[in-house]
Amino acid sequence: MKVFVTGASGWIGSAVVPELLAAGHEVTGLARSADSAERLRAAGVTPREGSLDDPGALSAAAHDAEAVIHLANKHDWSNMAESNRAERAAVETFAAALEGTGKPFVFASGAAFQPGTMVVETDVNPASGPESPRGGAERFAFDRVEHGLHAIALRFAPTVHGAGGEHGFIPQIVAAARRNGVAGYVGDGSSRWSAVHRRDAGALVTKALASAPAGTAVHAVAEEGIATREIAEAIGVALGIPTQSVAADDALEHFGWIGMFWRLDIPASSAVTRERFDWTPTNPTLLEDIAAGAYTDGSPTD
Ligand SMILES: NC(=O)c1ccc[n+]([C@@H]2O[C@H](COP(=O)([O-])OP(=O)(O)OC[C@H]3O[C@@H](n4cnc5c(N)ncnc54)[C@H](OP(=O)(O)O)[C@@H]3O)[C@@H](O)[C@H]2O)c1
């Protein structure tokens, strides 16, 4: 299949591309700079010039492809409203281009939308409207299924991990630990985070592209819920510093913006996804990656 990928040069995208190529797909990728285009070429992807701010380019690329995988995100943590609006606009553009064509539209989402409960595939993402988290894009796209959009949501664990990454949330927790001289967790550290290795995520995305029916929520989750205290302890050992509880009221000051998320209990199940796509994660767990130095000394476990 001719697959157009946004975010192909990113942390997850660069793990998805080899899987797509191995499955025999022809991959083109959105490139917003000469540097991104070069990295895409080196990975076997044909670059296509454009950006998330260029709906014409997104639309034309969708028309020329047989499937779209949308992973790009502005990730402007200091201006989440802008990231959310851009995400919504991009998904609306792709929906308009793909509705009624039968072409799969596979897009990034998250599994952490219902703190305090084990999120399952059938749970409805409550985010709605352009100002909501991720611009309410999942809800919007699923609402378009009845209008002929073959929408498939990739609900990634909040921790898509692997060696050599500066991306994702764990590097932020590690940075806070280095800053403070202690590896912190919030309260009693019983809040759980789900996790997936980026290579396992890449394999799952390719399986979902091949067979997921319209309206499917795919849970890219290998570990359903690791206590944040255990994650902090692993970081503490890797950095050779103590582990310490931080009061919930001090979380933002101690951890910075990531404190908003680090305090949350956000487990998610992938039982349905594993069964549906015959997907079994095989790569290192988050704690194994941390212990191997993936976030502290760049040891190449990836
Ligand atoms: N990583 C995680 O733990 C995690 C967890 C849950 C959900 N997700 C979601 O999964 C998706 C992929 O995440 P990721 O970690 O792979 O992200 P990432 O490493 O930050 O990569 C972002 C990608 O988006 C591209 N991009 C950014 N702004 C752009 C713009 N204005 N126009 C065109 N392309 C642009 C980047 O291109 P350049 O190469 O040019 O910078 C890069 O390819 C995102 O939607 C993310 O929110 C990730």
Side-chain angles (χ1 to χ4, degrees):
M1 229 185 322
K2 289 182 181 171
V3 185
F4 173 63
V5 182
T6 74
S9 53
W11 176 238
I12 298 175
S14 56
V16 170
V17 163
E19 297 284 344
L20 291 174
L21 295 173
H25 298 299
E26 196 181 305
V27 185
T28 57
L30 184 69
R32 61 171 164 161
S33 67
D35 177 54
S36 304
E38 195 42 51
R39 278 184 284 135
L40 291 182
R41 261 186 226 102
V45 174
T46 305
R48 199 162 165 140
E49 205 179 308
S51 87
L52 287 176
D53 298 316
D54 184 353
L58 301 184
S59 199
H63 280 295
D64 292 346
E66 292 164 305
V68 171
I69 300 179
H70 169 53
L71 300 170
N73 194 293
K74 291 192 174 182
H75 285 158
D76 183 349
W77 304 108
S78 60
N79 187 358
M80 285 302 288
E82 168 56 17
S83 297
N84 293 339
R85 273 193 297 272
E87 175 62 3
R88 173 61 172 251
V91 170
E92 286 188 7
T93 297
F94 282 128
L98 296 171
E99 268 175 30
T101 65
K103 299 176 185 177
F105 173 52
V106 186
F107 61 97
S109 185
F113 55 76
Q114 214 156 250
T117 60
M118 179 70 72
V119 172
V120 297
E121 286 84 345
T122 47
D123 284 334
V124 174
N125 190 325
S128 177
E131 306 300 326
S132 65
R134 303 192 70 85
E138 180 180 308
R139 189 90 169 246
F140 169 80
F142 281 173
D143 283 347
R144 302 309 297 175
V145 168
E146 63 179 292
H147 300 275
L149 182 65
H150 192 130
I152 300 161
L154 301 167
R155 290 181 181 168
F156 292 110
T159 305
V160 182
H161 58 93
E166 297 301 318
H167 296 275
F169 286 166
I170 293 298
Q172 302 295 328
I173 305 295
V174 171
R178 288 189 200 277
R179 235 178 12 248
N180 293 296
V182 292
Y185 54 89
V186 181
D188 67 2
S190 61
S191 288
R192 295 156 297 169
W193 274 30
S194 65
V196 67
H197 194 285
R198 71 191 193 104
R199 282 200 302 259
D200 288 319
L204 178 60
V205 171
T206 306
K207 282 172 176 270
L209 169 69
S211 66
T216 303
V218 178
H219 278 204
V221 169
E223 296 167 272
E224 297 188 337
I226 314 160
T228 47
R229 179 180 183 142
E230 278 186 73
I231 301 173
E233 282 168 353
I235 292 170
V237 169
L239 289 175
I241 57 176
T243 305
Q244 187 179 292
S245 168
V246 175
D249 286 348
D250 299 333
L252 268 184
E253 195 187 339
H254 184 95
F255 297 103
W257 61 264
I258 192 67
M260 280 186 300
F261 302 106
W262 190 225
R263 59 199 286 177
L264 298 178
D265 183 42
I266 41 180
S269 163
S270 59
V272 171
T273 294
R274 286 168 187 254
E275 172 79 20
R276 181 176 275 157
F277 300 106
D278 189 21
W279 175 67
T280 306
T282 56
N283 285 283
T285 65
L286 175 62
L287 296 185
E288 285 168 352
D289 259 350
I290 294 172
Y295 292 95
T296 47
D297 66 17
S299 294
T301 58
D302 208 21

XYZ file of all heavy atoms in Angstrom, residues 40-133:
674
model
N 14.337 11.276 6.699
C 13.341 10.366 6.116
C 13.955 9.562 4.979
O 13.787 8.335 4.911
C 12.120 11.160 5.615
C 11.242 11.786 6.698
C 10.057 12.503 6.063
C 10.742 10.742 7.679
N 14.668 10.257 4.111
C 15.310 9.561 2.978
C 16.217 8.439 3.497
O 16.196 7.316 3.002
C 16.142 10.539 2.150
C 15.422 11.004 0.921
C 16.278 11.869 0.018
N 15.507 13.028 -0.384
C 15.632 14.245 0.124
N 16.549 14.507 1.013
N 14.841 15.221 -0.280
N 16.996 8.767 4.540
C 17.931 7.778 5.095
C 17.182 6.563 5.647
O 17.727 5.459 5.713
C 18.776 8.422 6.190
N 15.923 6.776 6.048
C 15.132 5.671 6.619
C 14.338 4.926 5.551
O 13.568 4.017 5.876
C 14.186 6.225 7.690
N 14.474 5.337 4.295
C 13.763 4.642 3.220
C 12.396 5.232 2.912
O 11.566 4.593 2.267
N 12.181 6.474 3.376
C 10.887 7.136 3.178
C 11.051 8.253 2.136
O 12.032 8.994 2.169
C 10.410 7.764 4.518
C 9.147 8.583 4.331
C 10.203 6.668 5.564
N 10.077 8.380 1.251
C 10.109 9.485 0.288
C 9.511 10.719 0.947
O 8.341 10.702 1.354
C 9.267 9.140 -0.967
O 9.742 7.907 -1.490
C 9.364 10.243 -1.998
N 10.314 11.781 1.115
C 9.776 12.953 1.801
C 8.787 13.736 0.946
O 8.911 13.763 -0.269
C 11.019 13.808 2.084
C 12.131 13.230 1.318
C 11.718 11.931 0.722
N 7.850 14.337 1.601
C 6.874 15.181 0.939
C 6.833 16.482 1.726
O 6.489 16.489 2.902
C 5.522 14.474 0.978
C 4.603 15.028 -0.035
C 3.460 14.137 -0.343
N 2.518 14.981 -1.036
C 1.799 14.625 -2.066
N 1.892 13.414 -2.515
N 0.965 15.468 -2.631
N 7.180 17.561 1.050
C 7.330 18.840 1.746
C 5.992 19.333 2.291
O 4.961 19.208 1.630
C 7.862 19.868 0.741
C 8.607 21.016 1.371
C 9.124 21.958 0.297
O 9.788 21.466 -0.644
O 8.833 23.154 0.417
N 6.011 19.893 3.493
C 4.794 20.462 4.060
C 4.856 20.459 5.569
O 5.826 19.980 6.151
N 3.829 21.043 6.166
C 3.802 21.076 7.630
C 2.363 20.945 8.103
O 1.420 20.973 7.297
C 4.407 22.379 8.152
O 3.413 23.373 8.208
N 2.217 20.821 9.413
C 0.872 20.722 9.983
C 0.077 21.995 9.730
O -1.148 21.987 9.802
C 0.965 20.465 11.495
C 1.413 19.069 11.921
C 1.550 18.999 13.442
C 0.431 18.005 11.423
N 0.776 23.097 9.451
C 0.090 24.371 9.207
C -0.283 24.553 7.737
O -0.674 25.644 7.338
C 0.999 25.530 9.659
C 1.294 25.450 11.143
O 0.348 25.190 11.912
O 2.469 25.614 11.530
N -0.131 23.499 6.975
C -0.368 23.594 5.532
C -1.416 22.557 5.121
O -1.100 21.469 4.630
C 0.983 23.334 4.828
C 0.882 23.493 3.330
O -0.242 23.663 2.814
O 1.949 23.418 2.675
N -2.714 22.881 5.334
C -3.761 21.894 5.056
C -3.764 21.423 3.610
O -4.087 20.260 3.332
C -5.063 22.624 5.416
C -4.717 24.042 5.663
C -3.243 24.140 5.873
N -3.379 22.314 2.693
C -3.358 21.924 1.271
C -2.402 20.761 1.047
O -2.716 19.810 0.316
N -1.238 20.843 1.702
C -0.229 19.782 1.541
C -0.734 18.475 2.154
O -0.551 17.393 1.578
C 1.081 20.200 2.204
N -1.387 18.571 3.316
C -1.898 17.358 3.979
C -2.977 16.706 3.117
O -3.002 15.484 2.921
C -2.473 17.698 5.363
C -1.524 18.360 6.375
C -2.233 18.546 7.717
C -0.246 17.536 6.554
N -3.852 17.540 2.609
C -4.959 17.061 1.808
C -4.465 16.385 0.524
O -4.898 15.279 0.170
C -5.836 18.277 1.476
O -7.070 17.883 1.104
N -3.526 17.042 -0.162
C -3.006 16.486 -1.427
C -2.297 15.160 -1.165
O -2.461 14.192 -1.932
C -2.052 17.490 -2.073
N -1.541 15.099 -0.071
C -0.822 13.858 0.245
C -1.812 12.735 0.554
O -1.599 11.580 0.160
C 0.116 14.080 1.431
N -2.895 13.065 1.234
C -3.918 12.049 1.546
C -4.568 11.541 0.266
O -4.834 10.350 0.116
C -4.957 12.620 2.496
N -4.821 12.462 -0.660
C -5.428 12.058 -1.945
C -4.513 11.099 -2.697
O -4.979 10.147 -3.316
C -5.718 13.291 -2.807
C -6.973 13.997 -2.409
N -8.224 13.420 -2.527
C -7.173 15.222 -1.880
C -9.142 14.266 -2.075
N -8.528 15.370 -1.671
N -3.207 11.357 -2.627
C -2.251 10.545 -3.402
C -1.941 9.201 -2.740
O -1.328 8.338 -3.361
C -0.926 11.319 -3.584
C -1.117 12.528 -4.491
O -2.164 12.589 -5.169
O -0.244 13.409 -4.489
N -2.302 9.058 -1.469
C -1.964 7.832 -0.734
C -3.158 6.876 -0.689
O -4.282 7.239 -1.018
C -1.539 8.182 0.685
N -2.859 5.645 -0.239
C -3.938 4.662 -0.038
C -4.264 4.501 1.448
O -5.234 3.839 1.816
C -3.511 3.308 -0.614
C -3.417 3.355 -2.133
C -2.644 2.188 -2.702
O -1.485 1.962 -2.294
O -3.202 1.498 -3.570
N -3.437 5.109 2.286
C -3.689 5.109 3.734
C -2.871 6.251 4.345
O -1.839 6.641 3.789
C -3.260 3.785 4.355
N -3.351 6.775 5.468
C -2.628 7.842 6.167
C -2.402 7.420 7.618
O -3.323 6.908 8.275
C -3.430 9.171 6.146
C -2.785 10.212 7.050
C -3.548 9.710 4.721
N -1.172 7.604 8.073
C -0.873 7.411 9.502
C -0.414 8.768 10.017
O 0.615 9.304 9.587
C 0.227 6.348 9.723
C -0.228 4.999 9.153
C 0.546 6.220 11.218
C 0.807 3.879 9.306
N -1.177 9.340 10.932
C -0.902 10.702 11.410
C -0.321 10.661 12.826
O -1.037 10.386 13.788
C -2.197 11.514 11.369
C -2.103 12.821 12.060
N -1.114 13.744 11.782
C -2.875 13.385 13.037
C -1.270 14.803 12.559
N -2.334 14.608 13.332
N 0.988 10.930 12.896
C 1.688 10.879 14.191
C 2.291 12.230 14.578
O 2.732 12.402 15.719
C 2.823 9.838 14.133
C 2.417 8.392 13.840
C 3.651 7.535 13.568
C 1.602 7.806 14.987
N 2.357 13.177 13.638
C 3.002 14.466 13.951
C 2.200 15.220 14.995
O 0.973 15.140 15.037
C 3.131 15.310 12.684
N 2.919 15.922 15.838
C 2.253 16.753 16.847
C 3.204 17.872 17.226
O 4.405 17.639 17.355
C 1.906 15.906 18.074
C 0.934 16.616 18.997
O 1.271 17.622 19.611
N -0.271 16.089 19.088
N 2.675 19.068 17.407
C 3.553 20.202 17.728
C 4.185 20.076 19.108
O 5.247 20.635 19.361
C 2.763 21.509 17.614
C 2.395 21.854 16.191
C 1.879 23.273 16.078
C 1.668 23.620 14.611
N 1.207 25.008 14.439
N 3.516 19.380 20.021
C 4.064 19.152 21.362
C 4.636 20.417 21.989
O 5.738 20.396 22.542
C 5.161 18.073 21.329
C 4.604 16.694 21.187
N 5.328 15.640 20.717
C 3.373 16.187 21.464
C 4.582 14.541 20.689
N 3.393 14.863 21.138
N 3.889 21.488 21.901
C 4.330 22.731 22.544
C 3.738 22.746 23.954
O 2.608 23.180 24.168
C 3.851 23.944 21.727
C 4.354 25.251 22.313
O 4.894 25.232 23.449
O 4.210 26.280 21.650
N 4.528 22.232 24.913
C 3.994 22.065 26.278
C 3.739 23.402 26.954
O 2.970 23.482 27.908
C 4.947 21.210 27.123
C 5.221 19.881 26.502
C 6.374 19.473 25.921
C 4.293 18.786 26.352
N 6.237 18.193 25.423
C 4.979 17.753 25.676
C 2.964 18.591 26.719
C 4.379 16.539 25.359
C 2.364 17.374 26.412
C 3.070 16.369 25.742
N 4.364 24.471 26.436
C 4.114 25.787 27.034
C 2.877 26.419 26.398
O 2.404 27.460 26.853
C 5.329 26.693 26.835
O 5.564 26.855 25.456
N 2.388 25.827 25.336
C 1.197 26.366 24.672
C 0.357 25.197 24.156
O 0.250 24.962 22.958
C 1.623 27.300 23.523
C 0.433 28.018 22.911
O -0.718 27.800 23.306
N 0.704 28.875 21.936
N -0.213 24.474 25.137
C -0.976 23.277 24.789
C -2.180 23.617 23.915
O -2.584 22.823 23.067
C -1.458 22.574 26.063
C -0.360 21.825 26.789
S 0.418 20.597 25.737
C -0.889 19.384 25.643
N -2.742 24.820 24.116
C -3.929 25.193 23.334
C -3.582 25.185 21.849
O -4.355 24.689 21.017
C -4.434 26.565 23.760
N -2.404 25.698 21.519
C -1.989 25.729 20.111
C -1.780 24.304 19.573
O -2.208 23.977 18.468
C -0.702 26.570 19.970
C 0.015 26.468 18.641
C -0.862 26.826 17.434
O -1.924 27.459 17.630
O -0.488 26.446 16.305
N -1.128 23.454 20.385
C -0.927 22.056 19.954
C -2.277 21.372 19.739
O -2.458 20.636 18.763
C -0.129 21.281 21.009
O 1.153 21.821 21.153
N -3.201 21.619 20.655
C -4.517 20.977 20.551
C -5.276 21.451 19.307
O -5.870 20.650 18.577
C -5.356 21.271 21.801
C -4.778 20.605 23.037
O -4.016 19.644 22.926
N -5.122 21.113 24.211
N -5.225 22.767 19.071
C -5.920 23.308 17.892
C -5.312 22.758 16.602
O -6.023 22.398 15.663
C -5.840 24.847 17.887
C -6.950 25.533 18.681
C -7.004 27.017 18.366
N -5.775 27.699 18.748
C -5.543 28.218 19.950
N -6.464 28.128 20.889
N -4.408 28.827 20.211
N -3.968 22.688 16.573
C -3.289 22.198 15.364
C -3.648 20.739 15.113
O -3.844 20.316 13.968
C -1.772 22.359 15.511
N -3.724 19.970 16.201
C -4.069 18.554 16.059
C -5.496 18.406 15.505
O -5.743 17.618 14.584
C -3.941 17.852 17.420
C -4.371 16.408 17.463
C -3.563 15.491 16.547
O -2.622 15.959 15.903
O -3.922 14.303 16.456
N -6.400 19.186 16.058
C -7.783 19.120 15.588
C -7.879 19.513 14.107
O -8.554 18.859 13.308
C -8.641 20.052 16.456
C -10.076 20.226 16.000
C -10.829 18.891 16.012
N -12.231 19.090 15.765
C -13.178 18.941 16.691
N -12.875 18.564 17.910
N -14.438 19.138 16.392
N -7.167 20.595 13.764
C -7.233 21.076 12.376
C -6.690 20.014 11.419
O -7.262 19.768 10.349
C -6.444 22.380 12.242
N -5.579 19.378 11.800
C -4.982 18.355 10.925
C -5.939 17.184 10.748
O -6.139 16.680 9.628
C -3.654 17.878 11.509
N -6.556 16.756 11.849
C -7.472 15.607 11.767
C -8.716 15.976 10.945
O -9.210 15.170 10.143
C -7.821 15.089 13.178
C -8.950 14.069 13.135
C -6.575 14.459 13.822
N -9.193 17.198 11.090
C -10.336 17.625 10.265
C -9.956 17.627 8.785
O -10.740 17.210 7.922
C -10.814 19.022 10.699
C -11.564 19.012 12.012
C -12.199 20.353 12.347
O -12.170 21.264 11.485
O -12.720 20.495 13.463
N -8.744 18.075 8.492
C -8.287 18.110 7.092
C -8.223 16.697 6.518
O -8.705 16.438 5.407
C -6.889 18.774 7.007
O -7.008 20.116 7.446
C -6.341 18.743 5.586
N -7.620 15.782 7.285
C -7.519 14.402 6.792
C -8.908 13.772 6.654
O -9.172 13.044 5.692
C -6.641 13.567 7.725
C -5.172 13.810 7.546
C -4.357 14.122 8.632
C -4.584 13.736 6.297
C -2.997 14.348 8.469
C -3.221 13.964 6.113
C -2.432 14.274 7.202
N -9.789 14.053 7.598
C -11.139 13.474 7.527
C -11.832 13.937 6.252
O -12.432 13.123 5.528
C -11.948 13.881 8.758
N -11.709 15.218 5.953
C -12.367 15.750 4.746
C -11.801 15.082 3.487
O -12.531 14.800 2.538
C -12.183 17.266 4.679
N -10.509 14.818 3.497
C -9.877 14.228 2.305
C -10.171 12.732 2.176
O -10.168 12.194 1.068
C -8.364 14.443 2.368
N -10.425 12.065 3.297
C -10.490 10.594 3.271
C -11.902 10.029 3.388
O -12.124 8.851 3.071
C -9.626 10.026 4.402
C -8.118 10.324 4.290
C -7.390 9.917 5.576
C -7.511 9.597 3.089
N -12.851 10.840 3.830
C -14.218 10.325 4.005
C -14.766 9.754 2.708
O -14.637 10.361 1.643
C -15.138 11.447 4.488
C -15.226 11.490 6.000
C -16.037 12.668 6.510
O -16.963 13.119 5.805
O -15.729 13.127 7.621
N -15.323 8.578 2.814
C -15.955 7.972 1.650
C -14.989 7.255 0.725
O -15.413 6.671 -0.277
N -13.703 7.286 1.051
C -12.718 6.639 0.166
C -12.405 5.210 0.603
O -11.834 4.443 -0.173
C -11.386 7.415 0.155
O -10.816 7.350 1.477
C -11.578 8.874 -0.251
N -12.706 4.877 1.841
C -12.347 3.555 2.373
C -10.890 3.458 2.779
O -10.448 2.417 3.278
N -10.131 4.540 2.583
C -8.707 4.493 2.941
C -8.561 4.580 4.458
O -9.167 5.471 5.084
C -7.955 5.684 2.320
C -7.982 5.741 0.811
C -7.272 7.021 0.353
C -7.341 7.226 -1.135
N -6.721 8.508 -1.562
N -7.746 3.710 5.067
C -7.559 3.793 6.523
C -6.915 5.119 6.939
O -5.972 5.584 6.292
C -6.617 2.625 6.827
C -6.723 1.699 5.663
C -7.028 2.569 4.474
N -7.450 5.694 7.994
C -6.865 6.891 8.615
C -6.505 6.510 10.051
O -7.363 6.374 10.910
C -7.845 8.053 8.603
C -7.356 9.250 9.382
C -6.096 9.785 9.133
C -8.154 9.849 10.361
C -5.626 10.889 9.848
C -7.693 10.944 11.074
C -6.428 11.465 10.821
N -5.222 6.282 10.259
C -4.724 5.797 11.550
C -4.058 6.985 12.237
O -3.136 7.576 11.683
C -3.686 4.674 11.313
C -3.268 4.045 12.626
C -4.247 3.608 10.370
N -4.504 7.340 13.419
C -3.986 8.572 14.019
C -3.634 8.384 15.492
O -4.243 7.573 16.194
C -5.000 9.718 13.869
C -6.309 9.447 14.548
C -6.572 9.950 15.817
C -7.279 8.664 13.933
C -7.771 9.681 16.458
C -8.478 8.391 14.568
C -8.724 8.898 15.827
N -2.647 9.165 15.939
C -2.189 9.064 17.322
C -3.216 9.642 18.283
O -3.837 10.664 18.022
C -0.872 9.824 17.483
N -3.366 8.925 19.389
C -4.201 9.410 20.482
C -3.492 8.982 21.758
O -2.316 8.611 21.722
C -5.607 8.815 20.343
O -6.478 9.350 21.303
N -4.176 9.041 22.871
C -3.544 8.636 24.124
C -4.491 7.784 24.940
O -5.711 7.844 24.762
N -3.920 6.968 25.849
C -4.743 6.075 26.665
C -4.967 6.632 28.069
O -5.549 5.970 28.912
C -4.079 4.705 26.754
N -4.496 7.879 28.288
C -4.506 8.397 29.669
C -5.619 9.414 29.896
O -5.411 10.441 30.519
C -3.142 9.034 29.963
N -6.812 9.102 29.415
C -7.851 10.133 29.467
C -8.834 9.983 30.628
O -9.746 10.765 30.774
C -8.612 10.193 28.129
C -9.201 8.883 27.673
C -10.347 8.383 28.270
C -8.618 8.182 26.633
C -10.902 7.196 27.848
C -9.163 6.976 26.197
C -10.307 6.483 26.807
N -8.646 8.982 31.459
C -9.610 8.741 32.540
C -8.895 8.368 33.828
O -8.934 7.203 34.240
C -10.522 7.595 32.122
C -11.935 7.697 32.606
C -12.837 6.884 31.696
O -13.617 7.442 30.961
N -12.723 5.570 31.730
N -8.176 9.336 34.440
C -7.376 9.007 35.621
C -8.180 8.265 36.687
O -9.356 8.563 36.902
C -6.927 10.375 36.129
C -6.936 11.242 34.921
C -8.075 10.762 34.076
N -7.497 7.281 37.310
C -8.129 6.554 38.410
C -8.824 5.286 37.959
O -9.284 4.510 38.803
N -8.911 5.062 36.629
C -9.534 3.814 36.165
C -8.633 3.144 35.127
O -7.841 3.806 34.464
C -10.910 4.057 35.491
O -10.714 4.924 34.375
C -11.909 4.685 36.430
N -8.780 1.833 35.022
C -8.048 1.060 34.009
C -8.785 1.256 32.679
O -9.861 0.688 32.468
C -8.033 -0.412 34.425
C -7.343 -1.351 33.471
S -5.557 -1.169 33.398
C -5.018 -1.865 34.967
N -8.253 2.099 31.817
C -8.938 2.416 30.558
C -8.909 1.198 29.627
O -7.865 0.558 29.466
C -8.265 3.634 29.883
C -8.832 3.872 28.479
C -8.452 4.880 30.735
N -10.055 0.877 29.056
C -10.139 -0.243 28.112
C -10.555 0.293 26.742
O -10.992 1.443 26.611
C -11.135 -1.325 28.595
C -10.677 -1.930 29.906
C -12.545 -0.763 28.714
N -10.423 -0.562 25.733
C -10.622 -0.141 24.349
C -12.021 0.413 24.096
O -12.201 1.280 23.233
C -10.338 -1.307 23.398
C -8.861 -1.643 23.222
C -8.290 -2.567 24.294
O -8.933 -2.744 25.356
O -7.188 -3.121 24.074
N -13.014 -0.088 24.823
C -14.383 0.367 24.566
C -14.723 1.665 25.287
O -15.789 2.237 25.057
C -15.396 -0.717 25.004
O -15.032 -1.166 26.310
C -15.394 -1.893 24.034
N -13.841 2.150 26.155
C -14.110 3.424 26.832
C -14.116 4.555 25.806
O -13.278 4.601 24.903
C -13.036 3.714 27.888
C -13.215 2.870 29.142
O -14.362 2.459 29.422
O -12.211 2.620 29.838
N -15.072 5.460 25.996
C -15.163 6.604 25.084
C -14.284 7.730 25.613
O -14.354 8.095 26.784
C -16.636 7.081 24.979
C -16.727 8.355 24.142
C -17.496 5.970 24.387
N -13.426 8.228 24.736
C -12.559 9.345 25.112
C -13.440 10.586 25.327
O -14.142 11.015 24.406
C -11.560 9.588 23.967
C -10.466 10.556 24.347
O -10.702 11.502 25.088
N -9.283 10.335 23.817
N -13.413 11.154 26.537
C -14.335 12.257 26.813
C -13.926 13.592 26.189
O -14.728 14.522 26.144
C -14.306 12.367 28.351
C -12.978 11.813 28.740
C -12.602 10.798 27.704
N -12.682 13.713 25.705
C -12.223 14.997 25.170
C -13.031 15.364 23.927
O -13.126 14.580 22.985
C -10.738 14.922 24.830
N -13.602 16.546 23.954
C -14.468 16.952 22.851
C -14.273 18.436 22.566
O -14.241 19.240 23.491
C -15.915 16.647 23.249
O -16.796 17.072 22.263
N -14.137 18.783 21.328
C -13.980 20.191 20.944
C -12.520 20.567 20.782
O -11.638 19.984 21.429
N -12.240 21.559 19.902
C -10.866 21.931 19.552
C -10.015 22.387 20.730
O -8.788 22.280 20.684
C -11.050 23.083 18.562
C -12.438 22.933 18.040
C -13.237 22.287 19.113
N -10.649 22.871 21.800
C -9.869 23.366 22.937
C -9.534 22.258 23.932
O -8.800 22.473 24.891
C -10.642 24.481 23.690
C -11.101 25.649 22.829
C -9.931 26.355 22.162
O -8.848 26.428 22.763
O -10.108 26.826 21.014
N -10.088 21.087 23.738
C -9.891 20.000 24.708
C -8.571 19.280 24.413
O -7.930 19.537 23.388
C -11.076 19.032 24.639
O -11.098 18.411 23.384
N -8.122 18.375 25.317
C -6.887 17.651 25.062
C -6.871 16.991 23.682
O -7.864 16.404 23.261
C -6.862 16.598 26.181
C -7.623 17.242 27.302
C -8.702 18.051 26.633
